[in-house]
């Protein structure tokens, strides 16, 4: 019986809470692990984080690597350059020591082999792009796989590949095994390891927060009492300007506040970059109203919400449900 979770307890989209340990404070994002939540999870990944990938080692076999580990590694690294990963296997109390050791070795070997393959593929494509660029400049040939790309496009492709190569994830050096049963085996070591990662200034350089950033953070926090679910970029620039913060200095302040979880700002998203979500919990609540891992159970005609509010016949309900899913 787990001391850390209720039977069959599952995270719905995302739960956020603060965790204080040994003088350090962490904002914890507890992500729902179901496949359907991947689309929302990526919106909350951040570079300034230790990404703890948790799976059930008792249920693990080689056929589950992608589902339990690989897909998550790919999802995080696709969104976060230089992502710091920590791998944790649970339910160790249900496995023999020999089974745990065998699975640990298999998982770490697979993870390292996958990363080597990715790096080799990037390096191979960089070589091909470089050769194509050399050929394009000297008119040597046009039948390569990059035919039709200009020299400028090839150079940009090479630059992006180089960037990808130099921002590979920080893979875990070990797989931490824990149990949430009465013994709580491995839990103290897991806490110790997270603290070590967080205090590693090579992984997470210390940020000196200017007073003007702190003032903007305070203003945004005060604005959460208002009715708005989000603020526009222009509104925030004006707000900061009242304290003498220029637009050039607002941008790094917003990046910092996004990194530490005080706001959500998707600077690189064309559709969202003009909006500052100063109430992250509201956005999570909206996602929770839309996405559910128990969606098929929830979407039943017998559900009081749909019978009372929807005013649909059973046939109409089945049609709407099929289109939604």
């Amino acid at each position: 019986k787990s001391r850390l979770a209720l039977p069959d307890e599952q995270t719905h989209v995302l739960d956020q809470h603060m965790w204080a340990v040994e003088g350090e404070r962490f904002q914890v994002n507890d992500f729902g692990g179901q496949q359907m939540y991947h689309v929302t999870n990526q919106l909350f990944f951040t570079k300034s984080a230790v990404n703890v990938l948790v799976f059930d080692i008792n249920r693990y076999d080689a056929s589950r690597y992608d589902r339990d580990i690989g897909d998550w590694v790919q999802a995080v690294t696709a969104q976060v350059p230089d992502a710091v990963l920590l791998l944790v296997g649970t339910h160790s109390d249900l496995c023999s020591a020999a089974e745990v050791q065998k699975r640990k070795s298999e998982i770490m070997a697979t993870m390292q082999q996958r990363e080597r393959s990715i790096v080799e593929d990037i390096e191979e494509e960089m070589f091909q792009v470089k050769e194509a660029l050399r050929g394009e400049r000297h008119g040597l040939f046009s039948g390569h796989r990059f035919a039709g790309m200009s020299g400028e496009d090839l150079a940009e492709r090479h630059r992006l590949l180089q960037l990808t190569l130099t921002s590979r994830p920080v893979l875990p050096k070990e797989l931490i095994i824990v149990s949430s049963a009465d013994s709580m085996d491995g839990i103290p070591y897991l806490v110790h390891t997270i603290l070590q990662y967080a205090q590693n200034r090579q992984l997470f350089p210390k940020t000196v927060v200017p007073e003007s950033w702190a003032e903007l953070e305070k203003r945004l926090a005060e604005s959460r009492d208002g009715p708005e679910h989000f603020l526009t970029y222009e509104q925030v620039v004006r707000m900061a300007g009242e304290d003498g913060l220029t637009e050039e200095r607002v941008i790094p302040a917003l990046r910092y506040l996004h990194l530490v979880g005080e706001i959500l700002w998707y600077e690189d998203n064309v559709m969202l970059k003009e909006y500052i979500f100063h109430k992250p919990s509201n956005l999570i609540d909206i996602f929770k109203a839309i996405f559910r891992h128990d969606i098929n159970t929830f979407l039943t005609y017998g559900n009081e919400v749909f019978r009372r509010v929807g005013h649909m016949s059973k046939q109409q309900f089945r049609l709407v449900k099929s289109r939604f899913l």
Side-chain angles (χ1 to χ4, degrees):
K1 183 179 178 180
S2 173
R3 290 177 55 189
L4 301 179
L6 297 173
D8 300 320
E9 182 179 6
Q10 297 186 58
T11 301
H12 179 196
V13 182
L14 170 67
D15 289 332
Q16 290 185 318
H17 57 270
M18 298 303 298
W19 176 45
V21 58
E22 295 187 18
E24 299 283 356
R25 293 179 73 252
F26 297 87
Q27 176 174 290
V28 178
N29 286 346
D30 179 12
F31 294 100
Q34 288 74 17
Q35 184 71 31
M36 71 176 306
Y37 295 149
H38 282 209
V39 67
T40 56
N41 289 343
Q42 62 183 313
L43 296 174
F44 297 89
F45 293 152
T46 174
K47 184 175 180 179
S48 183
V50 179
N51 298 278
V52 184
L53 311 183
V54 182
F55 70 100
D56 185 344
I57 198 167
N58 179 54
R59 299 173 61 187
Y60 178 83
D61 61 49
S63 67
R64 293 177 62 100
Y65 178 83
D66 284 324
R67 174 182 171 179
D68 289 353
I69 301 166
D71 289 349
W72 278 100
V73 172
Q74 184 176 359
V76 173
T77 56
Q79 297 293 324
V80 183
D82 306 308
V84 178
L85 305 178
L86 186 59
L87 194 57
V88 178
T90 65
H91 296 79
S92 64
D93 55 299
L94 301 179
C95 303
S96 68
E99 288 174 327
V100 168
Q101 188 56 48
K102 180 175 181 293
R103 292 169 190 176
K104 282 178 64 175
S105 299
E106 290 176 354
I107 290 167
M108 294 303 294
T110 300
M111 178 179 285
Q112 291 162 2
Q113 186 275 326
R114 292 280 183 91
E115 179 62 15
R116 284 195 299 270
S117 294
I118 292 172
V119 170
E120 288 171 2
D121 288 346
I122 295 172
E123 290 175 337
E124 174 62 23
E125 186 172 352
M126 286 179 64
F127 173 79
Q128 293 178 7
V129 170
K130 193 172 183 179
E131 287 296 293
L133 186 58
R134 185 174 66 87
E136 193 273 340
R137 286 172 176 167
H138 296 88
L140 297 178
F141 58 88
S142 60
H144 53 77
R145 60 177 285 199
F146 302 104
M149 292 182 67
S150 67
E152 184 177 324
D153 289 340
L154 287 169
E156 176 63 11
R157 179 63 181 164
H158 190 275
R159 186 189 71 80
L160 292 175
L161 287 167
Q162 182 67 51
L163 184 62
T164 302
L165 188 62
T166 56
S167 58
R168 299 306 304 158
V170 180
L171 296 182
K173 296 179 181 178
E174 62 177 327
L175 195 168
I176 297 176
I177 302 299
V178 303
S179 168
S180 60
D182 287 341
S183 65
M184 298 288 281
D185 288 340
I187 298 295
Y189 181 66
L190 172 59
V191 173
H192 171 74
T193 303
I194 292 174
L195 283 168
Q196 278 193 320
Y197 272 65
Q199 294 167 354
N200 185 328
R201 293 306 171 215
Q202 287 187 314
L203 297 177
F204 302 107
K206 191 173 182 63
T207 301
V208 177
V209 180
E211 185 177 337
S212 57
W213 293 10
E215 188 60 35
L216 178 59
E217 178 181 359
K218 180 180 177 182
R219 276 181 166 268
L220 288 169
E222 291 172 349
S223 69
R224 290 173 189 150
D225 294 331
E228 300 87 355
H229 293 294
F230 60 83
L231 301 173
T232 66
Y233 176 77
E234 289 185 358
Q235 283 178 299
V236 175
V237 169
R238 286 197 300 270
M239 180 188 299
E242 293 173 6
D243 293 317
L245 200 62
T246 64
E247 183 172 355
E248 288 183 350
R249 295 167 61 199
V250 168
I251 292 174
L254 291 177
R255 288 172 181 162
Y256 166 75
L257 294 175
H258 174 82
L259 281 176
V260 298
E262 287 296 320
I263 63 168
L264 294 172
W265 181 43
Y266 303 107
E267 180 183 3
D268 298 324
N269 187 302
V270 175
M271 295 180 64
L272 296 176
K273 66 180 182 180
E274 295 301 319
Y275 303 98
I276 312 298
F277 296 94
H278 60 309
K279 302 177 182 178
S281 60
N282 282 19
L283 189 59
I284 294 170
D285 289 341
I286 291 171
F287 287 144
K288 285 185 175 183
I290 300 172
F291 296 92
R292 301 179 65 98
H293 58 267
D294 58 349
I295 192 69
N296 277 313
T297 303
F298 180 75
L299 292 179
T300 60
Y301 187 71
N303 188 311
E304 178 65 23
V305 173
F306 297 110
R307 288 197 291 111
R308 177 168 48 83
V309 180
H311 304 297
M312 290 183 283
S313 67
K314 285 187 177 181
Q315 184 177 359
Q316 290 172 324
F317 181 84
R318 283 196 296 269
L319 178 60
V320 172
K321 177 179 176 179
S322 66
R323 290 176 175 175
F324 176 76
L325 295 178

